[in-house]
Amino acid sequence: MSGPDISVVICVYTEDRWEDILAAVDSVRSQSRPALETLLVVDHNRALLDRLAGEFEERAGVRVLANAGPRGLSAGRNTGITASHGEVIAFLDDDAVAERDWLRRFAEGYTDPRVMAVGGRTMPVWASGRRPGWFPEEFDWVVGCTYRGLPPGRVRVRNVLGGNASFRRTAFDAAGGFATGIGRDGDRRPLGCEETELCIRLTRARPDAVLLIDDRAVIHHRVPAAREDFRYFRTRVWAEGLSKALVARSVGAARGLESERRYTTRVLPAGVARGLRDAVLGRPGGAGRAGAIVTGVLTAAAGYLVGTLGSRRGGTAFSVPEIAPGTGPGTDGTRVPAGGHRVRPAGTAISGGVAGAEEAGRE
């Protein structure tokens, strides 16, 4: 089959998602364009590692390995990148399933050699069976899904969304791996933005790089009942503000917040207006959606302020690993040798970047 070979990395951390993990792997194995391999990277959970190794011991094309770095999603992804063999590495959340043409749509995007990343569309699957009436589509990123305001079709963007994304291997050669210290760490604070920081770093290291989203590359992402709660909404938005402060620290506020400025000045005011209009017309949830948008903006801004002050005081640190070539797994496929990541201080990956490089689009 023409086009690049694609390795799929699924990072996992808890046995509570056992059925979800199996469903995610099955969706990859059912692709119209087969994956070269599927790598399950287990984040410091020996019981889960052993259970998955037993489950997939005799299944060709699936490898189970332990996160070789510090605890967290970013290090898990970096372990998968280092261990993989594909020209392109795709990432799928452990509680999501991909539609049959997911990888085919990704592969089509790489016909242009300038394309360094292709993302897709992530649809929520609500535990309650339907979207909560107060939950605005403009904030679907809170539950890891595509939100209102992203452009339709196959379009150029500033950054892809990490749970449904793919990168050329050479992108990591140019920019390093996912920064540790920004993204998720199991069920702890729901931080994010590691893919945003990486994509901005990439376009500074490679000003000619093109990053795309193709909304035909679809996955369906499960939203548990706990994340339909307004308390989680506020917690996640607060954490996003903290994360954006870290991104701004790494790549500068001008690049780190350019898309967010458009989002807050155009997309969100339109969402508030729709909510208020629905409230006036007596449609359910309109006032709640408008209020949630306003609350979300204020909470994220407060988190950003706190995160900025904390980073200036040296309260939070993160690092950008280089992805060293030729450090894949041993023959048993269960580990990545020590030294697979050469860690350097945050910011060095972009120190040689081109200032004022053309904006690659919008988030």
Side-chain angles (χ1 to χ4, degrees), residues 23-38:
V25 174
D26 285 344
S27 75
V28 175
R29 292 168 63 87
S30 301
Q31 290 293 298
S32 60
R33 188 188 196 286
L36 175 66
E37 59 188 347
T38 300

Side-chain angles (χ1 to χ4, degrees), residues 30-336:
S30 301
Q31 290 293 298
S32 60
R33 188 188 196 286
L36 175 66
E37 59 188 347
T38 300
L39 290 84
L40 290 170
V41 183
V42 183
D43 191 17
H44 297 269
N45 184 331
R46 186 71 202 188
L48 179 59
L49 179 72
D50 291 343
R51 186 178 181 187
L52 286 171
E55 177 73 22
F56 292 104
E57 182 177 8
E58 299 182 0
R59 296 202 203 182
V62 180
R63 288 192 281 143
V64 179
L65 48 147
N67 179 2
R71 185 182 300 275
L73 180 58
S74 289
R77 287 173 174 167
N78 292 335
T79 296
I81 295 164
T82 303
S84 64
H85 299 99
E87 180 185 344
V88 169
I89 301 99
F91 299 95
L92 178 66
D93 276 347
D94 64 345
D95 53 355
V97 293
E99 291 192 358
R100 180 172 169 77
D101 290 334
W102 179 60
L103 291 181
R104 182 165 73 89
R105 298 304 184 188
F106 278 172
E108 290 171 354
Y110 290 102
T111 56
D112 182 344
R114 298 175 302 161
V115 173
M116 289 288 111
V118 182
R121 178 160 54 101
T122 302
M123 305 296 294
V125 180
W126 303 97
S128 62
R130 62 179 181 177
R131 172 186 298 275
W134 61 268
F135 203 113
E137 293 182 23
E138 291 81 1
F139 276 80
D140 276 5
W141 56 263
V142 165
V143 291
C145 296
T146 301
Y147 55 91
R148 183 193 288 267
L150 282 174
R154 183 194 288 174
V155 293
R156 193 170 179 175
V157 293
R158 182 194 69 179
N159 63 275
V160 296
L161 304 178
N164 179 11
S166 63
F167 294 84
R168 284 194 197 273
R169 180 174 300 279
T170 52
F172 303 109
D173 296 337
F178 289 92
T180 59
I182 294 182
R184 294 248 179 177
D185 178 1
D187 282 324
R188 299 182 182 180
R189 283 188 309 175
L191 298 172
C193 294
E194 65 273 23
E195 65 273 5
T196 302
E197 194 273 341
L198 170 62
C199 288
I200 296 173
R201 242 192 304 125
L202 173 60
T203 53
R204 293 190 66 174
R206 288 281 304 271
D208 62 332
V210 174
L211 284 63
L212 301 174
I213 284 182
D214 187 336
D215 66 4
R216 299 171 300 171
V218 179
I219 70 170
H220 299 267
H221 184 273
R222 189 173 66 84
V223 182
R227 296 188 181 182
E228 297 183 13
D229 188 87
F230 188 66
R231 287 173 295 181
Y232 177 81
F233 177 88
R234 288 184 300 177
T235 300
R236 177 67 185 90
V237 171
W238 170 268
E240 184 75 1
L242 297 175
S243 301
K244 292 297 184 188
L246 286 174
V247 172
R249 175 187 171 190
S250 174
V251 301
R255 292 299 300 277
L257 298 177
E258 185 166 0
S259 292
E260 286 72 18
R261 291 189 183 98
R262 287 195 294 269
Y263 171 72
T264 55
T265 58
R266 300 179 188 178
V267 175
L268 296 185
V272 172
R274 274 192 299 272
L276 294 176
R277 181 192 61 199
D278 287 348
V280 170
L281 295 176
R283 296 170 181 166
R289 290 191 296 274
I293 291 174
V294 173
T295 300
V297 171
L298 296 176
T299 304
Y304 179 81
L305 177 60
V306 170
T308 300
L309 293 174
S311 65
R312 288 175 180 174
R313 295 169 181 166
T316 305
F318 64 97
S319 58
V320 176
E322 295 178 359
I323 304 299
T327 55
T331 55
D332 63 357
T334 59
R335 65 185 181 86
V336 176

